[in-house]
Amino acid sequence: QVQLVESGGGLVQSGGSLRLSCAASGSIFRINAMGWYRQAPGKQRELVAASAGSTNYADFVKGRFTISRDNAKNTVYLQMNSLKPEDTAVYYCNANIYRDSNPWSRGEYWGQGTQVTVSS
């Protein structure tokens, strides 16, 4: 089994910063990609940033958020600066992981989510 455990959410004032972490553990052969999504109340889950060799960002976070990975620790981070009230959401970690060398052992996994609240 594979688990993703997130940490680092919380309450911050507008303009502030937070750093989210997500550690993958369990039966891991190779991690293909890791990323962050978010879901605000009444809205669909949306991609925030992803890392798979190269990095990709949603337009609404470019220049403010930075995704990084520590491959030795199977961990992905999201540094969030210049936070805005509209960034308030539950942030989910996502990973594409091979459990062994078998090509069809690849699976997509989600963390439990961490709440980020930005007050105005």
Side-chain angles (χ1 to χ4, degrees):
Q1 269 291 16
V2 173
Q3 286 187 322
L4 302 181
V5 178
E6 299 135 337
S7 61
L11 173 64
V12 65
Q13 288 189 334
S14 182
S17 299
L18 283 174
R19 189 191 193 210
L20 306 182
S21 299
C22 171
S25 63
S27 180
I28 298 172
F29 175 72
R30 187 178 83 244
I31 298 179
N32 229 23
M34 299 187 84
W36 292 93
Y37 287 71
R38 72 184 188 186
Q39 188 167 18
K43 295 188 176 182
Q44 290 189 330
R45 192 172 297 189
E46 58 186 359
L47 176 68
V48 176
S51 172
S54 60
T55 56
N56 294 295
Y57 295 93
D59 287 342
F60 51 78
V61 302
K62 283 182 179 177
R64 299 188 299 125
F65 292 9
T66 302
I67 188 171
S68 61
R69 284 170 63 173
D70 185 334
N71 292 326
K73 295 181 179 180
N74 292 332
T75 299
V76 63
Y77 305 96
L78 186 68
Q79 178 66 43
M80 305 185 293
N81 299 328
S82 302
L83 282 161
K84 306 174 182 179
E86 50 264 45
D87 293 319
T88 296
V90 177
Y91 283 71
Y92 295 91
C93 177
N94 172 272
N96 198 283
I97 296 173
Y98 286 91
R99 295 190 306 279
D100 55 47
S101 59
N102 192 320
W104 48 85
S105 73
R106 187 176 69 175
E108 185 177 28
Y109 299 91
W110 292 90
Q112 79 284 0
T114 185
Q115 177 70 46
V116 171
T117 302
V118 185
S119 63
S120 56

